[in-house]
Amino acid sequence: LREPFKATKRAVIGLGLNTPIPADLLQSTSYVEDPLPTEATLTETVGEIYKAALAADIDAKDASEIARELRGCSPFKAEQLAAQSLTREGIDRGKVRDNARKQINDTPGLSVESGPEKFSDIGGLTAIRDFLARYFAGPRRPDLVVRIEEIEKALAGVGTETSGTSGDALGTLLTAMEDNRWTGLLAYGVSGCGKSLIAKAAANEFGARAIRFDLNACKGSLVGQSERQIRQAMDVLKAIGGERVFFIASMNQIASLPPELRRRFAAGTWYFDVPDDGARQAIWQISAAHFGVAWDGYDAESLTGADIRDIVQRSYELGCTTTEAARYHVPLCKSAPDAIGQSRADATGRYLDANAGGPYRDPTSPTTRYDRSIQLD
């Protein structure tokens, strides 16, 4: 149609979401991007709806706060949600937040975090908590924290699978992080030692929005579908956080993670080891308060935070002491000692210590024990 339409001054207009164009049509196609609205645009929209409905001007601060809740919505959806949240007193911000959360959750791969966790719910992990507190107080304070769970599994097929979906996901994520100046940190280490918890708590602690990003949920069976859906997710993240998006990606295995992805997480790779004595004491107290049970002082070396939580929960469910509940639990250090030892050896001198800070050193290593004895002397 190109030549006939050109001769008669006509054109074909195609509407789509991240629609791929066949290679033989690329040179004949022009793109007009329609990005998701900015916070300034949404603020104007809120003001217009408020004035049309209540014949008055909305307070500028209120309009800005409501617009902030609508980030990530399309222009029409933002208008719709603001209108649906109108009351006689104004626009119900809580209702806007709930409805906008549902809109974001409809995006493949994205879900809004709603847990109440804060740093006070974490025992130990002093170094990474201090680091995040300083980072969020800095000049590029994140507006959005994105949690990626077990990222190594989502990208396990890069370079080997025939469909190329993992490669599409990796390429799109790398490009988005580079173009938008996004960064983050990698949380690696022993399962059940707070990697996911620190990501959940960071956003709540510093007043940022929190979203979980599931790369596997973006993958599709059709050609180009994975790339389109992950691009859609990236567009939503950009609309919500702009350039101030901070990723926290957790993993139990790091060897298979592409080096180009590690470089994007410029805030470092942090190793999460089993808590020390002081951290375990804090975790026991926090878990006991959460379940409303009395901790009878039971403790054991090498228990993870998840081990402690499970024992306390068992105590609550069985109506028994924590000492009795521990008889019904096998700690991770007993069920997977080789995996823990391997990850410690891999992390020594290479990654940051989430508990003590500085380069990680295996506390069970003879060399480490010898160094510590010299320091004590």
Side-chain angles (χ1 to χ4, degrees):
L1 297 177
R2 183 185 64 186
E3 297 305 326
F5 272 47
K6 180 180 179 181
T8 56
K9 299 182 180 179
R10 290 180 291 170
V12 173
I13 299 176
L15 304 178
L17 180 65
N18 294 318
T19 305
I21 302 297
D24 54 347
L25 295 181
L26 285 176
Q27 298 301 319
S28 304
T29 305
S30 297
Y31 288 90
V32 178
E33 185 179 2
D34 184 25
L36 292 172
T38 63
E39 187 173 325
T41 301
L42 292 170
T43 301
E44 293 179 5
T45 299
V46 169
E48 292 169 358
I49 292 174
Y50 188 96
K51 188 168 186 177
L54 302 176
D57 292 325
I58 188 173
D59 180 78
K61 182 180 179 181
D62 291 340
S64 178
E65 290 178 350
I66 294 171
R68 194 170 294 116
E69 300 291 351
L70 292 170
R71 289 180 301 182
C73 296
S74 65
F76 173 76
K77 195 64 178 181
E79 293 178 359
Q80 188 180 48
L81 295 183
Q84 290 175 345
S85 303
L86 278 166
T87 67
R88 293 178 182 272
E89 290 73 30
I91 297 177
D92 186 333
R93 185 179 173 186
K95 191 173 182 180
V96 170
R97 182 185 302 112
D98 291 340
N99 288 333
R101 181 183 295 119
K102 296 174 185 176
Q103 171 75 9
I104 295 171
N105 290 344
D106 287 339
T107 304
L110 300 184
S111 57
V112 178
E113 303 269 28
S114 57
E117 297 89 350
K118 286 194 171 184
F119 281 179
S120 58
D121 299 305
I122 300 175
L125 302 180
T126 304
I128 191 154
R129 288 163 59 183
D130 289 346
F131 171 82
L132 288 171
R134 297 183 68 176
Y135 191 92
F136 274 77
R140 295 196 70 231
R141 174 189 175 92
D143 288 333
L144 175 64
V145 175
V146 180
R147 178 169 68 97
I148 305 178
E149 196 83 2
E150 298 184 334
I151 190 172
E152 81 280 15
K153 293 181 179 178
L155 300 176
V158 172
T160 59
E161 63 182 8
T162 56
S163 65
T165 53
S166 294
D168 286 344
L170 174 62
T172 305
L173 178 59
L174 290 174
T175 300
M177 293 185 73
E178 178 71 18
D179 291 349
N180 297 305
R181 300 176 63 215
W182 295 342
T183 188
L185 63 84
L186 296 173
Y188 166 53
V190 181
S191 178
C193 287
K195 298 187 296 295
S196 298
L197 182 57
I198 200 74
K200 295 177 183 178
N204 293 333
E205 185 73 20
F206 304 110
R209 296 190 69 173
I211 286 181
R212 180 180 178 183
F213 181 30
D214 184 353
L215 282 164
N216 282 323
C218 291
K219 295 180 180 179
S221 58
L222 302 178
V223 176
Q225 184 179 13
S226 300
E227 187 176 7
R228 286 197 300 274
Q229 292 187 159
I230 194 173
R231 283 186 181 278
Q232 181 183 1
M234 294 298 101
D235 288 345
V236 172
L237 296 181
K238 183 177 180 180
I240 296 173
E243 290 189 348
R244 300 194 175 192
V245 177
F246 191 83
F247 288 81
I248 300 181
S250 67
M251 71 210 73
N252 297 320
Q253 302 289 333
I254 198 171
S256 62
L257 209 64
E260 60 269 28
L261 181 64
R262 295 193 206 182
R263 288 196 297 269
R264 295 293 192 275
F265 288 79
T269 300
W270 295 76
Y271 185 78
F272 289 64
D273 202 353
V274 295
D276 58 21
D277 294 346
R280 287 201 311 276
Q281 299 290 315
I283 296 170
W284 278 113
Q285 294 169 1
I286 292 169
S287 298
H290 176 76
F291 285 98
V293 303
W295 172 43
D296 63 4
Y298 170 82
D299 191 23
E301 191 176 357
S302 296
L303 288 177
T304 67
D307 287 328
I308 295 172
R309 182 200 61 221
D310 291 345
I311 292 171
V312 173
Q313 183 173 351
R314 195 69 43 80
S315 171
Y316 166 74
E317 294 168 345
L318 300 181
C320 63
T321 65
T322 50
T323 299
E324 292 177 290
R327 299 173 184 171
Y328 300 97
H329 180 80
V330 179
L332 181 67
C333 65
K334 301 293 185 182
S335 60
D338 294 340
I340 294 176
Q342 180 59 46
S343 69
R344 282 173 166 171
D346 177 62
T348 297
R350 301 176 63 185
Y351 308 125
L352 297 167
D353 190 330
N355 289 308
Y360 173 79
R361 303 180 73 182
D362 183 353
T364 65
S365 167
T367 303
T368 303
R369 290 199 297 268
Y370 176 72
D371 287 349
R372 287 182 175 178
S373 67
I374 292 177
Q375 291 171 5
L376 289 173
D377 291 341

